[in-house]
Amino acid sequence: MSETTEKTDRVRHWARDVHDLAKAKGWHDEPAYPRRFQMVGNIAGEVAEAWEEARQKDFDPKRIYFVSPHNGEKWLDREIARTAVGSANEPKPEGFPVEIADVVIRALDTMAALGIEDVTEHTVRVMKENLRQRTNPDLWQQLCFLYRTVGRVLSDVDYDDSPAMTRENLAVTVARCEAVADLCGFDLWAVVAIKHAFNGTRSHRHGGKRA
C-alpha cells in the first residue's frame, strides 16, 4: 500500500467516524448550513485552547494528561487514571496534543456536515502539498498559521458559492495540524483516537451545550 493510499484510508476512516459520533451525540440534529459559523467557531476555539497550553510555564508539547471528572485530579498514565475514577467514569484527556487533535476532529466533522464532495482525497492531496510547512521550527508561527487558516474558513462559509475554497482551507487546517504534530514529535492520529474514544463516553451534546 502506498503512503498516499494509506493516508487517504486513514483520513477517510476518521472523517466518517467523527461525523457519525457527532450525529449520535446530537450535534447534527439541525441542518448544518445555518450552523456553519458555530462549527467554524468551535474549530477556532480549539486552536485557542492549544495556544493557551503552549503558553504555560511547564509546557511540554508531547504531554497528555488525564483529568478526573470528580475533583480535577490529574494523572499522566491513562490506566491509572481509569482505575482511580472508577469504571462508571472516564478521565478526560487534556494537553497540547489533545487540543491539536480536537482541531482535526472538528475540521473533519465540519467537512462531512457541509457535504463537501471528495473531501478525504482532497485533504490528503493538500496535506502532501503542504509538507514544506513542516520544516519551520517555530511553534508560535505554526500556530499563527493555523489561526490564519481557520480565519479563511470563516470567510469562506460567509458565502454561499465557495464550497471549493471551504474544502481547501479545511484541508489545509488538517495539514497544519500534522505540521505542528511533526514539529512537536507526537503521533497526531494516535491522539485523535484517544480523544475520539473519550468523546464516545460523553453525554448528549456534552451535557447540553448550545454549540
Side-chain angles (χ1 to χ4, degrees), residues 81-193:
R82 282 175 162 172
T83 299
V85 302
S87 59
N89 299 282
E90 184 73 15
K92 183 179 181 180
E94 297 278 12
F96 181 78
V98 177
E99 304 304 343
I100 296 298
D102 274 334
V103 176
V104 171
I105 288 170
R106 290 197 180 276
L108 293 177
D109 180 49
T110 300
M111 290 174 176
L114 293 177
I116 301 172
E117 296 295 327
D118 300 323
V119 61
T120 53
E121 289 82 359
H122 187 80
T123 300
V124 171
R125 181 179 66 78
V126 173
M127 289 163 68
K128 187 174 182 180
E129 290 173 357
N130 280 275
L131 284 173
R132 60 183 176 78
Q133 298 170 0
R134 303 179 187 182
T135 62
N136 191 318
D138 190 322
L139 178 60
W140 302 113
Q141 186 171 0
Q142 288 285 358
L143 291 175
C144 285
F145 285 161
L146 186 53
Y147 264 122
R148 182 179 66 183
T149 303
V150 175
R152 288 174 174 168
V153 177
L154 182 59
S155 178
D156 296 338
V157 299
D158 198 21
Y159 297 91
D160 293 340
D161 59 351
S162 60
M165 285 306 301
T166 303
R167 180 184 66 182
E168 178 85 14
N169 283 314
L170 284 168
V172 174
T173 298
V174 176
R176 291 201 182 282
C177 287
E178 280 217 328
V180 169
D182 288 353
L183 176 63
C184 294
F186 62 85
D187 184 336
L188 175 63
W189 299 100
V191 184
V192 167

